[in-house]
């Protein structure tokens, strides 16, 4: 009986972690507000919610209110006026609005659910890569504790949707399910095109396997990759075609619907992204990808000083929704990732337990951060620190691995764990105390 309880302990810890994370992210989900919080427009939209929530409203047939900063006020109802991104995540929000009414729970429920799915995916990713159950719980706990993921997992933006899809896609691939992995990645790409970086992650992972001498034959690798990439492309284009029928993409700047089917919509998204150039890192919230590794330029999604409520409900809470990575997690992730890159490049990383995790961490970093580095520094694409949301899962793996390797030096690990917990509390976006 004792052995059975011990074997189930990691799963029980994971369940408790998911419940705690969901509760923490759901707490005060409707704050802050103007006035009495009694109407949908009294609730303040946070950061890019002003685009995605209003797009979901338009899809659901609700005209955005004529208030300062309201996006898509004059877009045709039923279409998706945010055509620069695929519709799926916004359709989830629109469905919630139709089910629950136009309010913060409807806007943000999808983020709460997908944030929890991402935590479960972290556990599966580490376990299916050969990591132990407690190491997998540790990686999941780091994701749940990181301010960047905590905030993304409670506001109605697209990043947490795509993170969950990417984590589960790669987890299924390392589990030996390339077809399922491709389908999940294709679905993720219908939430945001960043999910297509899975292509690079898988290719680098297979290259790392070859470099460290654990790859299967070339034919098996080719079939595995072809299965994943083929189903990814098919599911993405097929689902995008369906979404275009449900919520036709509308180019709000040109005041016209995007035509020519899913390929026309895809070209519109690529064209839109390619024109987001002319980065001025010294101004605004934009930053270079290499700066993210130092947590440079955190983004104030929404900040309210309780001493100057400005007509907001009551005299509190203090609000500080920040696009900011937890510093102790980022530091450990960078050290662990550096070790992973070095070990993989040298063809080292034995025993196999460590080797698989190091290859995964190295492949994830190169496959997600690499494209941003090329786009931001070589092509002058405008980039922002919160893009690190899709890079961080690999760093959670690397940080958890590093903590396990240093576990015998508890004098070093314990203070770090205290800093991780302290960061989660201090950076929590809503302070409910007077």
């Amino acid at each position: 009986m004792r052995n059975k309880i011990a074997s189930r302990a990691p799963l029980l810890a994971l369940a408790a972690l998911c419940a705690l994370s969901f509760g923490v992210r759901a707490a005060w989900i409707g704050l802050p507000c103007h006035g009495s919080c009694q109407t949908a427009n009294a609730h303040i939209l946070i950061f890019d919610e002003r685009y995605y929530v209003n797009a979901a409203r338009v899809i659901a047939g609700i005209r955005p209110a004529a208030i300062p900063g309201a996006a898509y006020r004059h877009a045709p109802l039923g279409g998706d006026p945010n055509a620069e991104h695929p519709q799926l995540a916004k359709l989830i929000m629109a469905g919630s609005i139709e089910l629950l009414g136009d309010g913060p729970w409807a806007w943000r429920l999808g983020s709460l659910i997908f944030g929890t799915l991402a935590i479960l995916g972290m556990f599966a990713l580490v376990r299916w890569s050969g990591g132990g159950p407690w190491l997998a719980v540790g990686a999941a706990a780091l994701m749940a504790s990181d301010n960047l993921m905590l905030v993304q997992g409670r506001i109605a933006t697209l990043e947490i949707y795509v993170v969950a899809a990417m984590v589960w896609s790669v987890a299924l691939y390392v589990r030996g399910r390339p077809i399922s992995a491709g389908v999940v990645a294709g679905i993720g790409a219908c939430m945001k095109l960043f999910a297509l970086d899975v292509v690079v992650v898988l290719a680098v992972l297979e290259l790392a396997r070859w470099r460290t001498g654990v790859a299967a034959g070339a034919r098996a690798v080719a079939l595995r990759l072809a299965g994943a990439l083929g189903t990814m492309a098919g599911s993405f284009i097929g689902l995008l075609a369906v979404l275009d029928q449900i919520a036709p993409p509308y180019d709000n700047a040109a005041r016209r619907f995007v035509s020519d089917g899913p390929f026309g919509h895809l070209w519109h998204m690529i064209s839109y992204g390619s024109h987001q150039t002319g980065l001025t890192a010294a101004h605004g919230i934009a930053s270079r990808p290499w700066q993210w590794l130092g947590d440079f330029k955190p983004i104030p999604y929404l900040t309210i000083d309780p001493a100057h409520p400005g007509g907001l409900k009551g005299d509190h809470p203090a609000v500080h929704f920040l696009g900011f990575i937890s510093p102790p997690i980022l530091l450990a992730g960078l050290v662990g990732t550096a070790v992973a890159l070095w070990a993989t490049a040298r063809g080292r990383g034995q025993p196999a337990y460590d080797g698989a995790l190091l290859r995964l961490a190295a492949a994830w970093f190169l496959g997600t951060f690499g494209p941003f580095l090329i786009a931001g520094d070589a092509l002058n694409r405008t980039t922002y620190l919160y893009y690190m949301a899709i890079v961080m899962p690999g760093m959670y793996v690397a940080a958890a691995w590093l903590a396990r390797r240093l576990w015998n030096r508890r004098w070093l690990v314990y203070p770090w764990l205290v800093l991780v917990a302290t960061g989660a509390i201090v950076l929590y976006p809503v302070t409910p105390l007077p």
Side-chain angles (χ1 to χ4, degrees):
M1 177 63 72
R2 183 174 299 176
N3 290 336
K4 183 178 290 187
I5 294 175
S7 66
R8 292 178 178 175
L11 294 179
L12 294 174
L14 177 65
L17 172 66
C18 289
L20 177 62
S21 173
F22 188 96
V24 166
R25 286 180 287 118
W28 303 287
I29 197 71
L31 293 179
C33 303
H34 294 290
S36 62
C37 291
Q38 295 301 308
T39 65
N41 292 321
H43 298 279
I44 297 177
L45 296 180
I46 300 166
F47 193 48
D48 281 349
E49 284 188 336
R50 73 188 192 95
Y51 298 111
Y52 303 129
V53 169
N54 277 351
R57 284 168 164 163
V58 171
I59 293 171
I62 299 174
R63 178 73 61 195
I67 58 178
Y72 312 132
R73 165 72 181 152
H74 301 291
L77 299 180
D80 177 13
N82 184 245
E84 56 266 32
H85 298 298
Q87 301 98 317
L88 186 53
K90 290 164 285 182
L91 272 172
I92 293 173
M93 297 177 202
S96 294
I97 288 173
E98 293 184 350
L99 181 65
L100 302 175
D102 186 17
W105 270 102
W107 311 332
R108 297 161 184 162
L109 179 60
S111 295
L112 294 175
I113 293 172
F114 276 82
T116 304
L117 289 175
I119 292 170
L120 292 170
M122 280 303 305
F123 180 87
L125 180 63
V126 173
R127 286 294 286 137
W128 293 347
S129 295
W134 284 113
L135 180 62
V137 171
L142 291 178
M143 173 179 274
S145 303
D146 184 10
N147 174 74
L148 187 66
M149 289 299 181
L150 189 152
V151 171
Q152 293 292 339
R154 66 172 280 147
I155 64 175
T157 53
L158 308 183
E159 276 65 35
I160 197 63
Y161 290 87
V162 75
V163 167
M166 292 177 70
V167 169
W168 274 105
S169 176
V170 178
L172 288 166
Y173 188 85
V174 299
R175 180 67 167 174
R177 303 287 187 270
I179 303 300
S180 299
V183 170
V184 172
I187 293 172
C190 284
M191 297 173 176
K192 195 167 187 177
L193 292 184
F194 285 172
L196 296 177
D197 283 356
V198 165
V199 174
V200 188
V201 173
L202 298 184
V204 175
L205 181 61
E206 291 293 3
L207 180 62
R209 286 172 168 173
W210 170 81
R211 182 70 182 85
T212 53
V214 297
R219 177 180 173 82
V221 170
L223 288 174
R224 187 161 58 232
L225 278 175
L229 303 188
T231 53
M232 181 191 306
S235 60
F236 169 55
I237 295 299
L239 181 54
L240 187 62
V242 173
L243 295 174
D244 284 354
Q245 296 300 311
I246 298 173
Y250 180 75
D251 185 343
N252 195 62
R255 296 292 191 267
R256 63 176 179 82
F257 283 98
V258 177
S259 57
D260 300 325
F263 291 102
H265 189 189
L266 177 59
W267 175 250
H268 173 79
M269 291 186 282
I270 294 173
S271 177
Y272 177 89
S274 68
H275 285 87
Q276 302 303 301
T277 57
L279 173 69
T280 54
H283 303 88
I285 62 173
S287 56
R288 298 286 189 186
W290 60 266
Q291 294 174 313
W292 306 342
L293 303 182
D295 243 346
F296 183 81
K297 232 174 186 181
I299 301 173
Y301 294 164
L302 179 68
T303 301
I304 297 173
D305 183 348
H308 301 88
L312 295 178
K313 180 176 181 290
D315 295 328
H316 64 281
V319 172
H320 50 277
F321 285 85
L322 294 177
F324 184 67
I325 307 164
S326 174
I329 295 176
L330 179 61
L331 176 61
L334 287 172
V335 174
T337 299
V339 174
L341 292 169
W342 174 81
T344 302
R346 288 178 57 88
R348 300 176 60 181
Q350 297 299 323
Y353 177 96
D354 283 349
L357 293 174
L358 293 176
R359 286 190 296 271
L360 172 64
W364 196 290
F365 180 79
L366 294 174
T368 54
F369 186 75
F372 285 134
L373 194 63
I374 294 171
D377 287 315
L379 304 179
N380 203 30
R381 171 70 158 85
T382 305
T383 52
Y384 308 96
L385 187 144
Y386 68 87
Y387 287 177
M388 275 290 285
I390 73 165
V391 181
M392 288 307 298
M395 289 202 174
Y396 301 141
V397 174
W401 172 86
L402 182 66
R404 185 188 64 82
R405 286 300 300 266
L406 295 175
W407 192 247
N408 288 335
R409 297 177 175 85
R410 289 176 175 76
W411 59 269
L412 185 61
V413 177
Y414 284 166
W416 175 74
L417 292 174
V418 171
L419 289 175
V420 169
T422 302
I425 296 170
V426 171
L427 293 171
Y428 185 74
V430 178
T431 305
L433 300 177

